[in-house]
Amino acid sequence: MSARSHTAVAGLAPDAERDIETKGESGAPPTHVAIIMDGNGRWAASRGLPRVAGHREGARAVRRAIEAAIEQGVGWLTLYAFSSENWRRPASEILDLTGLLRHYLRTEIAELRANGVRLRVIGDRDRFDPDIRTELLAAERSTAANTRLNLTIALSYGGRDEILAAARVLAAAARDGRLDPAVMEETDFTRGLFTAGMPDPDLVIRTSGEQRLSNFLLWQSAYAELVFQDVLWPDFGAAHLADALAEFARRERRFGARPG
Ligand code: IPE
Ligand code: IPE
Ligand code: MG
């Protein structure tokens, strides 16, 4: 809640202050929007094209989503591009996807930099080839000073893997006597997540009509509003983002604090 303390009004009793904060929150636009970009394969199949054509068109939709996020005032945008389970796909599709990622990094980073976008990558990047890892690191470093949009791409990302990794770090600290499990707090845990230092998503959008999280930001989405859209990712554009933001604005967020 401290992140929202700017809405507090000086001089009011704490309870009244909290009331104003809560009211401000339900109408506030989302700070962080996360998108599960699904439906590339079905987009291609519906046109009689190979799946790679859907992934290629999906990369164009990524560009549109980033532009739309900037135009629509979204400060944090996280895109689920490749899950830890997606490595189970046929080798030919993995090759197509990593090839597209390589191409994307080589062609888009200059534009991201010019548009004030800061890029972060979350996920198990060690599973990618060394040249891709090098490009990812270079892209993060060269955009690190940008502040217009915080763009995070989830690559080889799995929510359970992430939680397990954080638990391992804490278990080791406890074993070595550096952490007392009895006084361990949420922040001790979240520091070990890939998203350390990032706000939790307020809104999670999934395209393609599927209604599941597929291992995306499991810890972080505890109180996210979920919006499922019947659009295949390659067809996603500014209007879809605007629709999702409008839907978000109609939701009443309670965080468990109030009965209806
Ligand atoms: C999303 O599209 C992209 C990735 C998961 C890499 P899909 O490839 O899952 O497309 P569908 O779900 O088969 O249509
Ligand atoms: C989730 O989509 C992962 C991404 C969009 C990157 P999937 O297509 O892999 O998810 P499932 O298999 O339908 O749950
Ligand atoms: Mg899919």
Side-chain angles (χ1 to χ4, degrees), residues 101-121:
L101 175 60
R102 226 178 237 114
H103 179 73
Y104 184 88
L105 289 168
R106 285 180 192 152
T107 55
E108 300 290 317
I109 299 306
E111 179 131 356
L112 293 183
R113 204 164 35 230
N115 285 331
V117 178
R118 174 172 183 175
L119 179 75
R120 291 177 178 82
V121 176

Side-chain angles (χ1 to χ4, degrees), residues 84-114:
S84 48
E85 289 74 28
N86 287 149
W87 292 110
R88 296 179 190 153
R89 292 193 179 189
S92 59
E93 185 168 355
I94 302 284
L95 211 58
D96 287 339
L97 285 165
T98 49
L100 273 171
L101 175 60
R102 226 178 237 114
H103 179 73
Y104 184 88
L105 289 168
R106 285 180 192 152
T107 55
E108 300 290 317
I109 299 306
E111 179 131 356
L112 293 183
R113 204 164 35 230

Side-chain angles (χ1 to χ4, degrees), residues 1-8 21 25 28 31-32 76 197-200 202 255:
M1 286 311 243
S2 59
R4 318 224 182 231
S5 59
H6 60 278
T7 58
E21 281 188 41
E25 267 168 26
T31 299
H32 182 179
W76 293 78
M198 290 171 56
D200 284 342
D202 302 291
F255 302 97

Side-chain angles (χ1 to χ4, degrees), residues 114 123 128 166 179 259:
F128 291 100
L179 176 76

Side-chain angles (χ1 to χ4, degrees), residues 16 57 65 69 74 87 95 102 123 129 148 185 210 242 250 257 260:
E57 205 56 35
V74 172
W87 292 110
L95 211 58
R102 226 178 237 114
D129 290 339
R148 195 154 167 226
E185 293 182 352
E210 305 299 343
R250 289 191 288 272

Side-chain angles (χ1 to χ4, degrees), residues 37-42 51 86 89 206 208 210 212 214:
M37 310 184 290
D38 197 18
N40 294 353
R42 278 163 281 174
R51 291 178 65 84
N86 287 149
R89 292 193 179 189
R206 182 170 186 148
S208 90
E210 305 299 343
R212 55 178 170 266
S214 300

Side-chain angles (χ1 to χ4, degrees), residues 7-204:
T7 58
V9 176
L12 287 178
D15 276 349
E17 220 176 271
R18 196 171 310 128
D19 205 42
I20 287 172
E21 281 188 41
T22 310
K23 280 183 191 138
E25 267 168 26
S26 37
T31 299
H32 182 179
V33 176
I35 309 182
I36 303 172
M37 310 184 290
D38 197 18
N40 294 353
R42 278 163 281 174
W43 183 93
S46 72
R47 286 165 174 74
L49 297 170
R51 291 178 65 84
V52 65
H55 295 315
R56 210 174 287 132
E57 205 56 35
R60 292 195 187 104
V62 166
R63 207 173 304 149
R64 285 197 298 275
I66 293 169
E67 283 166 13
I70 293 172
E71 276 164 23
Q72 295 176 38
V74 172
W76 293 78
L77 177 70
T78 296
L79 301 175
Y80 199 11
F82 192 87
S83 74
S84 48
E85 289 74 28
N86 287 149
W87 292 110
R88 296 179 190 153
R89 292 193 179 189
S92 59
E93 185 168 355
I94 302 284
L95 211 58
D96 287 339
L97 285 165
T98 49
L100 273 171
L101 175 60
R102 226 178 237 114
H103 179 73
Y104 184 88
L105 289 168
R106 285 180 192 152
T107 55
E108 300 290 317
I109 299 306
E111 179 131 356
L112 293 183
R113 204 164 35 230
N115 285 331
V117 178
R118 174 172 183 175
L119 179 75
R120 291 177 178 82
V121 176
I122 58 172
D124 181 7
R125 57 178 88 194
D126 289 348
R127 293 185 75 175
F128 291 100
D129 290 339
D131 69 304
I132 291 185
R133 298 206 301 262
T134 304
E135 295 268 359
L136 291 175
L137 205 59
E140 286 176 310
R141 285 193 178 141
S142 70
T143 62
N146 288 346
T147 55
R148 195 154 167 226
L149 174 70
N150 287 283
L151 172 69
T152 303
I153 310 228
L155 286 170
S156 188
Y157 173 87
R160 286 186 172 182
D161 275 358
E162 180 185 38
I163 290 169
L164 187 61
R168 278 202 191 100
V169 170
L170 291 177
R175 180 197 58 203
D176 300 344
R178 288 178 281 117
L179 176 76
D180 177 0
V183 298
M184 189 177 126
E185 293 182 352
E186 269 192 24
T187 47
D188 294 313
F189 200 91
T190 52
R191 263 198 290 273
L193 301 177
F194 288 124
T195 51
M198 290 171 56
D200 284 342
D202 302 291
L203 168 63
V204 174

